């Protein structure tokens, strides 16, 4: 299961969620605003989206990086 931290008006977040839905990836969405301390702990930055899967963390909306992170070919 992937956790994704997002904000409501983030276009990159919206596209990343659409990408995961279109590829059958199950995820839990969490508010970046409500979890900013966790995001800073994980990445040291305030940029979204942030993806967490097990011990792996990705802070990017690049489709190629997201494919690699999720193991999608």
């Amino acid at each position: 299961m992937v956790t994704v931290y997002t904000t409501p008006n983030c276009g990159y977040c919206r596209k990343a969620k659409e990408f995961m839905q279109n590829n059958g990836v199950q995820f839990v969405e969490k508010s970046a605003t409500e979890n900013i301390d966790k995001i800073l702990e994980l990445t040291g930055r305030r940029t979204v989206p942030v993806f967490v899967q097990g011990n792996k963390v990705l802070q990017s909306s690049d489709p190629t990086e997201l494919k690699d992170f999720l193991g999608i070919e």
Side-chain angles (χ1 to χ4, degrees):
M1 180 69 69
V2 176
T3 300
V4 59
Y5 294 93
T6 66
T7 58
N9 298 320
C10 171
Y12 295 113
C13 299
R14 189 170 32 260
K15 287 184 180 190
K17 291 185 297 183
E18 288 173 5
F19 174 86
M20 291 192 296
Q21 289 169 337
N22 292 339
N23 285 280
V25 177
Q26 293 186 348
F27 64 93
V28 174
E29 183 177 7
K30 293 190 177 183
S31 166
T33 305
E34 294 175 11
N35 293 284
I36 192 65
D37 290 340
K38 181 67 174 177
I39 291 171
L40 288 170
E41 175 187 322
L42 291 168
T43 68
R45 298 170 55 199
R46 295 177 178 260
T47 308
V48 289
V50 175
F51 303 89
V52 180
Q53 185 176 41
N55 293 331
K56 299 187 315 181
V57 177
L58 175 68
Q59 188 172 36
S60 174
S61 59
D62 179 88
T64 302
E65 290 181 24
L66 193 50
K67 279 183 179 180
D68 289 343
F69 179 79
L70 298 170
I72 297 171
E73 300 203 15

